Amino acid sequence: MFPGASDGREDHTDAGGPAADRDGANFVIVGAPLDASTTFQPGARFGPRRVRHFSETFDDYDHRTGQHFTELAVRDAGDVRAWDDVAEYLEYLEGTLRDVVWDGAVPLTIGGEHTVSLAGVRAVEPDVFVCLDAHLDLRDAYDDNPLNHACATRRILETDGVDEAIVLGARTGSEAEWERAAADDVTVVPPEEVGDWLAETDPETLLGDREVYLSVDIDGADPAYAPGTGTMEPFGLEPREMRDAVRAVAPHATGFDVVEVNDRDDGQAAALAGKLLKEFVFERAATDV
């Protein structure tokens, strides 16, 4: 269970995921340990467990907002166990997250590979997808697999209702991906410009009344800060830049995930992921839009 969240679990579904009592919840955490298409270092299946574990030392109280995490009605619904039929798994995960939305709560997904963001977007039905990511993830397919984690943003842009993707921290991609990123429905902010972009961009003006799904691929961070991820890419974001981005977008977001944490470090990636999840909750609860 995520530290500070209450445990609403009562029984388990046939698919291995929990059925949670979400009455009164403002936020519901769902683990999605899918690890089917990681293209280099596997281990994202351990992400939910590690994020929960390495968040245990975080204080309950947030001095900046004057809030206690334990008082924000956060429920941890456990994990939706993954299986080898990815399309079927995403459909089931989407249903689990959609139930959270229908209950009036904000789903917080802990991955798992970035493919799980597709289920989150389908459940939340946002207008804009904002992600922190080292990679464009705009491939049409990778190894003939359209549901590979390298295709996550491309599939999300094909989802009904999503009219824009904003990728913060991207610094690599294939030639075809960069060509796709030049289209009007994609905005790419490279790492060296994210700080200025956040300082100069008014989220109220940029996003307006549009609903947002916010995704944090932990490889958006420079690997010096988060080596526990499948495909490390140097020259990345500083943790404070990621925190500032999460805080800026959170008031507009109706869904959130943090993905691509694996077990190949001493907990740096998981700790950063857990802290960003808490930053999202504190900021979203404080603004209460």
Side-chain angles (χ1 to χ4, degrees):
M1 186 172 69
F2 194 91
S6 62
D7 188 350
R9 287 176 287 178
E10 294 180 340
D11 53 36
H12 288 78
T13 67
D14 292 339
D21 176 7
R22 295 182 293 266
D23 289 347
N26 294 326
F27 304 90
V28 176
I29 296 170
V30 176
L34 182 67
D35 195 8
S37 71
T38 305
T39 48
F40 185 50
Q41 295 190 124
R45 69 194 65 187
F46 304 116
R49 181 192 311 169
R50 284 177 70 83
V51 171
R52 290 180 175 105
H53 175 70
F54 284 98
S55 298
E56 288 180 2
T57 61
F58 297 154
D59 285 324
D60 182 48
Y61 177 66
D62 180 57
H63 177 68
R64 184 180 66 90
T65 63
Q67 299 175 108
H68 291 84
F69 193 78
T70 51
E71 296 176 355
L72 298 179
V74 183
R75 307 280 187 266
D76 189 339
D79 292 350
V80 175
R81 177 185 60 81
W83 59 92
D84 57 1
D85 188 325
V86 174
E88 184 181 84
Y89 177 73
L90 292 176
E91 183 177 357
Y92 186 88
L93 179 61
E94 175 191 345
T96 300
L97 299 174
R98 191 180 296 275
D99 286 345
V100 174
V101 175
W102 285 349
D103 286 343
V106 177
L108 311 171
T109 305
I110 306 176
E113 64 177 70
H114 208 174
T115 312
V116 302
S117 298
L118 180 58
V121 168
R122 289 171 173 171
V124 171
E125 300 182 348
D127 305 299
V128 184
F129 176 65
V130 178
C131 65
L132 284 67
D133 200 336
H135 308 90
L136 293 172
D137 288 350
L138 288 170
R139 295 175 185 266
D140 190 41
Y142 190 95
D143 289 340
D144 296 323
N145 178 12
L147 291 177
N148 185 281
H149 70 149
C151 310
T153 301
R154 181 70 168 260
R155 297 288 86 80
I156 286 167
L157 279 167
E158 296 169 354
T159 302
D160 288 344
V162 177
D163 56 35
E164 184 179 7
I166 301 173
V167 188
L168 306 177
R171 49 199 182 271
T172 189
S174 68
E175 183 176 2
E177 284 181 283
W178 284 110
E179 290 174 356
R180 178 64 183 86
D184 291 341
D185 60 349
V186 179
T187 298
V188 178
V189 184
E192 62 271 19
E193 297 179 12
V194 167
D196 290 339
W197 186 86
L198 289 169
E200 297 170 1
T201 302
D202 177 9
E204 295 293 337
T205 301
L206 176 68
L207 300 171
D209 295 330
R210 298 188 297 172
E211 291 189 356
V212 176
Y213 186 94
L214 175 59
S215 176
V216 176
D217 185 329
I218 206 65
D219 69 27
D222 190 275
Y225 301 107
T229 191
T231 313
M232 291 183 285
E233 189 69 33
F235 314 127
L237 294 169
E238 300 276 337
R240 277 189 289 269
E241 292 172 325
M242 300 178 77
R243 177 202 65 189
D244 292 347
V246 168
R247 287 177 179 175
V249 177
H252 304 271
T254 52
F256 172 85
D257 67 51
V258 59
V259 298
E260 298 283 349
V261 172
N262 68 21
D263 61 339
R264 294 172 179 261
D265 67 2
D266 293 324
Q268 299 96 314
L272 177 57
K275 197 69 171 180
L276 292 173
L277 184 150
K278 292 192 75 170
E279 288 288 338
F280 176 88
V281 171
F282 283 130
E283 187 67 26
R284 185 69 172 77
T287 51
D288 193 27
V289 297

